[in-house]
Amino acid sequence: MIRRFTLLALGIALQLTTPAQAEEAALPANKTILFVCLHGSVKSQMAAAHFNRIGRERGLPYTAISRGVDVDTSIPTRIRDGLNLDGLAPLDDVPQALTPSEAAGAIKVIAFDAVPDDKRGVAEVSYWSDVPPATKDYSAA
């Protein structure tokens, strides 16, 4: 069964894929995808890790990063273990806080939780709020 984060990452990756005939100049200069969750330690870490794997497999010139609104001090063991079973690892050892400049600099910002205006700055945020809590059931998420 394909997990929601894999589908999420695949969907974003496919949206960003340009046709083979497109000229290099048509590609966006900034190639950062920003995933945001409340604590920057669970959903955004999972989504970014899955996105980056799919992006590498497809040869996409995009890199996902994970950020939080009210960051935790560490990534839960359950999430590290789940990612490890998927052949992945968290992007950061310590979750990092979202900054308005980082949000504005990303080509796409996807959030699992509300992002306050002072954290997102001028960035447009796409919300994906139907992902179940991953710390309770990694596989369902």
Side-chain angles (χ1 to χ4, degrees), residues 16-33:
L16 296 171
T17 303
T18 52
Q21 306 90 326
E23 294 183 28
E24 193 66 28
L27 291 174
N30 183 346
K31 300 186 171 128
T32 301
I33 308 299

Side-chain angles (χ1 to χ4, degrees), residues 5 34-50 65-84 89-98 110-113 131-136 138 141:
F5 284 108
L34 181 56
F35 288 101
V36 182
C37 64
L38 183 60
H39 300 297
S41 60
V42 178
K43 293 177 182 178
S44 63
Q45 289 286 336
M46 293 169 65
H50 281 279
I65 60 173
S66 167
R67 295 294 181 262
V69 173
D70 182 21
V71 295
D72 280 342
T73 57
S74 64
I75 296 167
T77 301
R78 287 182 185 167
I79 301 308
R80 286 183 183 278
D81 291 347
L83 286 170
N84 191 345
L91 301 180
D92 306 299
D93 285 329
V94 177
Q96 297 183 34
L98 175 66
I110 299 142
F112 299 98
D113 300 293
V131 179
T135 52
K136 294 183 182 183
Y138 180 91

Side-chain angles (χ1 to χ4, degrees), residues 2 4-17 47 50-51 54 58 60 128:
I2 297 178
R4 287 182 190 218
F5 284 108
T6 302
L7 287 173
L8 168 98
L10 180 59
I12 295 293
L14 290 174
Q15 281 182 332
L16 296 171
T17 303
H50 281 279
F51 178 91
I54 292 168
R58 295 178 181 265
L60 299 177
W128 290 358

